[in-house]
Amino acid sequence: MQQLRLSIVGFGTVGRWLATAVHQRRAWLAAECGIAISLVSVATRHDGFIHHDAGFDIPTLLNLAAAGRRLADYPGVRRWDTALAGLAQTEQDVLAEASNTNPREPEPALSHIHQTLKRGTHCITSSKGACAAAALELGVLARRRAVQFRMESTVMSGTPVLSTIRDGLAGTRVVAVRGILNGTANHILTLMAEGLDYPAALADAQAQGYAEPDPTDDVEGHDVVAKIRILAATAFDRTVPLDHVIRRGITGITPDAMEQAAGDGCRIKLVASARIRSEGAGAGGASMPLEARVEPVALPLTDPLARVDGVLNALSIETDTVGTVTIIGPGAGPEQAGQGMFADLVAVAWAAGHHPA
């Protein structure tokens, strides 16, 4: 049976969930993919990069992490201060990069991914900042090195939207994408539609653990901007510079605005959209301008996005052949993000198992 050596950079809740899934589903991976996955490296900001040539016993490693002990206490490991140094001096077949949750900061994840792909190693990631900044560049590099670069969990976590565009809708021409891509903002707007003002709705979101103590990335739309840039790269093969995305958050929405929308038969949602504009261009979609926006929109109740409430996310994909496909599902959480990474890992493992080098 073919062996696949896995390194996980970022061993927080998502990285640990992925490691647990690899351990618990090893029999399934062997039967379905013809692959045995060995976890050979993990890295955290606190512990640095640790590597075990023979592979870790995953339950033992997880117990160390859960107890707050140094991962370097695992017997027989080699250690480097940084993930970049460790990745450069060890061998792996797949890097799972889960180190960065800040949608506005590509580093250090971008350097980890770039170095890994350049060496001809497969890479899967949940790091939105890196993918928002350089998804197209990284995809091109992966193809040149004949390896896979996958980023499913960067948009709607474990709900499969990027793979739907990339694989399920292969051969179509995507005309537009439009979605609700932040559960925190959607939860707040749902409560405001029920009569709460913004401060009360935010307090509820924070009390339930949906919103961070500093909710800026969610409520001002920065998280969604990263996701629409990733979607633009996936659906349109375009790089959208950060300052080209029109962005407005939800902090200025008042109860009066919510009441006005309800009176008009609408619901206000934070909507991300990207669309090819046909004016001012000749034949060939690549020359046409792409408009990307993140903003509150009053949606009529006939719009499927208008009825997506709470922490659910949704994405509508408009194509030239099958019309509009709408996907609704959870968009956040360690289990969901971990599942997105696991699905990417399975795709890499399946390809390796069926097309061994």
Side-chain angles (χ1 to χ4, degrees):
M1 182 176 298
Q2 189 169 350
Q3 301 291 313
L4 205 65
R5 297 164 297 179
L6 172 67
S7 295
I8 300 178
V9 172
F11 207 56
T13 54
V14 174
R16 294 182 205 178
W17 194 96
L18 178 61
T20 301
V22 167
H23 175 70
Q24 293 180 344
R25 307 208 69 186
R26 59 193 183 280
W28 181 88
L29 286 163
E32 292 295 318
C33 304
I35 287 287
I37 296 179
S38 174
L39 178 60
V40 296
S41 315
V42 296
T44 70
R45 187 176 302 171
H46 175 72
D47 290 294
F49 183 95
I50 62 169
H51 183 85
H52 197 287
D53 289 321
F56 292 101
D57 177 72
I58 291 176
T60 300
L61 188 67
L62 290 169
N63 287 337
L64 278 176
R69 294 177 57 190
R70 293 176 68 249
L71 299 183
D73 289 343
Y74 193 103
V77 301
R78 292 182 288 157
R79 180 187 176 279
W80 290 262
D81 288 340
T82 68
L84 207 59
L87 288 168
Q89 298 179 57
T90 57
E91 297 294 331
Q92 50 279 139
D93 301 301
V94 186
L95 168 65
E97 216 301 334
S99 69
N100 193 356
T101 60
N102 186 336
R104 290 184 276 174
E105 177 52 67
E107 295 295 354
L110 181 56
S111 292
H112 299 157
I113 296 167
H114 191 272
Q115 176 177 281
T116 296
L117 293 176
K118 195 171 181 180
R119 293 184 69 193
T121 299
H122 302 293
C123 184
I124 63 177
T125 186
S126 62
S127 295
K128 292 188 288 287
C131 295
L136 269 190
E137 172 195 339
L138 295 171
V140 169
L141 177 58
R143 289 190 292 274
R144 286 177 179 167
R145 295 294 189 269
V147 294
Q148 293 198 53
F149 170 63
R150 304 183 72 95
M151 52 184 179
E152 185 65 66
S153 63
T154 60
V155 181
M156 287 180 62
S157 291
T159 301
V161 292
L162 300 185
S163 56
T164 295
I165 295 170
R166 173 177 168 173
D167 302 322
L169 294 173
T172 67
R173 183 172 69 88
V174 177
V175 177
V177 293
R178 191 173 59 97
I180 296 169
L181 302 178
N182 186 276
T184 299
N186 201 46
H187 175 77
I188 291 170
L189 291 174
T190 299
L191 293 181
M192 292 182 70
E194 296 170 358
L196 272 64
D197 61 11
Y198 173 80
L202 172 60
D204 181 274
Q206 290 172 324
Q208 296 198 46
Y210 299 144
E212 299 291 336
D214 179 1
T216 302
D217 284 339
D218 294 323
V219 299
E220 294 292 359
H222 298 293
D223 173 73
V224 183
V225 166
K227 293 171 182 175
I228 201 63
R229 295 173 74 198
I230 294 167
L231 283 165
T234 304
F236 304 109
D237 288 327
R238 303 287 187 89
T239 296
V240 180
L242 180 60
D243 60 0
H244 285 202
V245 182
I246 297 168
R247 177 186 58 83
R248 288 194 299 122
I250 66 171
T251 56
I253 298 176
T254 64
D256 287 344
M258 301 298 286
E259 290 178 14
Q260 178 66 49
D264 293 338
C266 296
R267 299 282 296 279
I268 294 178
K269 297 292 183 180
L270 184 64
V271 177
S273 62
R275 175 179 294 274
I276 295 288
R277 300 204 317 262
S278 59
E279 68 273 13
S287 63
M288 297 179 181
L290 179 70
E291 180 181 75
R293 310 177 69 94
V294 173
E295 59 191 345
V297 178
L299 300 176
L301 295 180
T302 53
D303 189 318
L305 298 184
R307 299 183 182 275
V308 176
D309 289 332
V311 294
L312 283 177
N313 283 192
L315 183 71
S316 289
I317 308 158
E318 183 182 343
T319 75
D320 64 340
T321 54
V322 297
T324 300
V325 175
T326 300
I327 303 167
I328 301 173
E335 180 174 353
Q336 288 77 17
Q339 172 57 37
M341 294 194 81
F342 185 72
D344 282 344
L345 180 60
V346 169
V348 172
W350 193 93
H354 289 77
H355 302 284

